Amino acid sequence: MAYKGAGVVEVIDTEYPSFELKDGPGVNPINVGRKVPHGAILRTVTTNICGSDQHMVRGRTTAPEGLVLGHEITGEVVEVGPDVEFIKVGDIVSVPFNIACGRCRNCKEGLTGICLNVNPDRPGSAYGYVDMGGWVGGQAEYVLVPYADWNLLRFPDRDQALEKILDLTMLSDIFPTGFHGAVTAGVGVGSTVYVAGAGPVGLAAATGAQLLGAACVIVADLNEERLAQARSFGCETVDLTKGGPQEQIEQILGVPEVDCGIDAVGFEARGHGTGAGEAPATVLNDLMDITRAGGALGIPGLYVTGDPGGIDDAAKKGALSLSLGTGWAKSLSFATGQCPVMKYNRPLMMAILHGRVSIAKNVNAQAIPLEDAPRGYAEFDAGAATKYVLNPNGYIK
């Protein structure tokens, strides 16, 4: 599945992967020819369409045409490089969307979202994503994963994994990412939580907040279908077409503030009210207003340094008009950046395997063939309350 220009994705044919990073759209020249003896080739079991992919497909990043998409990957190992010691052919594995070497200072400190050795452009890397080093995306039948022994999470039982695959496929990104938003926002037993955005990451954050023991999780959006999905698993909701969140929060809680705030929207945020236009700082400023003094904001929503479609010159460079004084005066804490997936994916896997959480149900996961991905992208972009899971090799019956 390749990005072909603003609003256009297309199924293309590519070569079967090899244990070497080759030239192609988005590949940093320094990475061309990089040998991957520590890698594994996977036959893709599932690979999901992500809201972060949509930013590129809308033309809101500097992604090059021809970039093969897909950073949410679950697969079966079909080949391993000569340096792979523990991962075996036949293993069913989850692939963290962060590509990490396991050797650098950041990886050794658990900061796998900002590995120093996989992307010459900046710390941190991902499959099939703009400015991430050029590692080929996984919305395909096969994909190469580097540093396989370090990166891959092996499922303990093949049959059990395939039975729960719609849940387990969420471990590559959105479930850990949403859970990270809840953890960094300080969610604990008895917390009141506001989640901005009822897309899949917002619903995953709400699920994570419930798993952490929140007393009340409030999800806000402009899309009623997505708000209904949040209510389906016990969340309260705020309809931002009716105005700002404070009054509606007060109606739910009796006070106009929450303990913890989560931004699951990112840089394409809109304002309040019917027909609200783009206002990229809205969510962050809302969160500073409605989070109690001494609280924390978890910000898994994506923000970029290059946005060709930004509403003004500042937004095109990722510069937003934030009321930082509000945050300072209230002693708020902020946590941003890629989720370090490996910090969370194993415990969340265990929660899924032992029936503690139903993330696929909560995000309304639906499996579609690879060739139907353009339709999935279009429907997701139009606001469908669905997490589209691509099934390129027929593992999902």
Side-chain angles (χ1 to χ4, degrees):
M1 183 55 50
Y3 169 65
K4 288 292 188 177
V8 181
V9 292
E10 182 180 304
V11 178
I12 64 169
D13 288 325
T14 62
E15 293 183 3
Y16 181 81
S18 66
F19 293 100
E20 178 181 322
L21 191 54
K22 299 180 178 180
D23 197 9
V27 180
N28 187 293
I30 298 173
N31 264 354
V32 174
R34 185 170 182 165
K35 306 297 184 185
V36 191
H38 43 68
I41 295 173
L42 308 186
R43 188 171 188 249
T44 305
V45 174
T46 53
T47 177
N48 314 327
I49 297 174
C50 179
S52 298
D53 296 322
Q54 287 284 22
H55 294 305
M56 289 188 292
V57 172
R58 293 183 187 124
R60 296 298 298 269
T61 72
T62 55
E65 294 184 12
L67 182 73
V68 176
L69 301 167
H71 57 272
E72 299 191 9
I73 308 162
T74 305
E76 179 177 6
V77 178
V78 293
E79 287 189 57
V80 295
D83 291 353
V84 176
E85 187 174 359
F86 305 112
I87 291 293
K88 305 300 182 186
V89 171
D91 287 343
I92 304 291
V93 294
S94 179
V95 185
F97 80 90
N98 323 111
I99 301 173
C101 72
R103 297 154 166 82
C104 71
R105 173 182 176 177
N106 284 351
C107 283
K108 289 179 179 181
E109 294 178 0
L111 304 174
T112 53
I114 42 175
C115 173
L116 301 174
N117 287 333
V118 287
N119 181 4
D121 290 318
R122 63 182 70 178
S125 189
Y127 304 88
Y129 213 83
V130 59
D131 294 334
M132 289 294 182
W135 300 92
V136 178
Q139 288 178 11
E141 293 171 317
Y142 296 88
V143 64
L144 171 69
V145 174
Y147 304 102
D149 281 328
W150 170 250
N151 281 304
L152 296 178
L153 174 68
R154 176 171 42 205
F155 299 136
D157 182 86
R158 178 189 179 90
D159 292 339
Q160 183 188 36
L162 292 177
E163 180 183 344
K164 291 182 174 286
I165 195 63
L166 282 180
D167 291 293
L168 294 172
T169 190
M170 306 305 165
L171 293 173
S172 58
D173 182 356
I174 69 160
F175 197 13
T177 292
F179 192 78
H180 179 62
V183 168
T184 54
V187 178
V189 174
S191 298
T192 56
V193 185
Y194 178 88
V195 181
V201 170
L203 298 176
T207 302
Q210 292 177 336
L211 196 59
L212 288 165
C216 181
V217 180
I218 303 169
V219 180
D221 207 288
L222 295 155
N223 181 319
E224 172 52 33
E225 184 182 358
R226 290 182 169 183
L227 291 175
Q229 184 62 32
R231 290 192 293 272
S232 75
F233 60 95
C235 298
E236 301 286 347
T237 56
V238 162
D239 182 352
L240 294 173
T241 65
K242 298 178 180 178
Q246 280 185 312
E247 183 177 336
Q248 295 179 69
I249 290 171
E250 187 169 19
Q251 290 172 355
I252 296 166
L253 298 176
V255 293
E257 64 179 17
V258 294
D259 299 321
C260 314
I262 302 171
D263 174 3
V265 178
F267 73 103
E268 289 192 68
R270 295 183 174 273
H272 309 137
T274 303
E278 191 166 309
T282 298
V283 168
L284 294 173
N285 286 328
D286 278 351
L287 290 176
M288 285 189 280
D289 284 339
I290 58 113
T291 303
R292 70 173 180 86
L297 311 185
I299 309 173
L302 175 67
Y303 289 87
V304 296
T305 56
D307 174 11
I311 60 171
D312 53 36
D313 289 340
K316 290 177 181 178
K317 297 182 292 186
L320 308 182
S321 181
L322 298 180
S323 180
L324 193 58
T326 301
W328 189 93
K330 296 175 73 175
S331 296
L332 298 176
S333 301
F334 301 75
T336 67
Q338 285 190 35
C339 164
V341 170
M342 292 172 69
K343 182 176 181 179
Y344 306 106
N345 61 354
R346 189 184 185 282
L348 292 176
M349 174 189 76
M350 297 302 289
I352 290 169
L353 294 179
H354 290 274
R356 300 295 297 165
V357 66
S358 300
I359 184 64
K361 171 180 170 289
N362 290 3
V363 301
N364 191 27
Q366 293 187 18
I368 60 175
L370 182 65
E371 56 268 25
D372 282 356
R375 172 180 64 84
Y377 269 98
E379 292 179 1
F380 188 37
D381 190 52
T386 304
K387 177 67 174 179
Y388 287 101
V389 176
L390 304 184
N391 181 29
N393 288 304
Y395 283 84
I396 303 175
K397 304 303 180 184

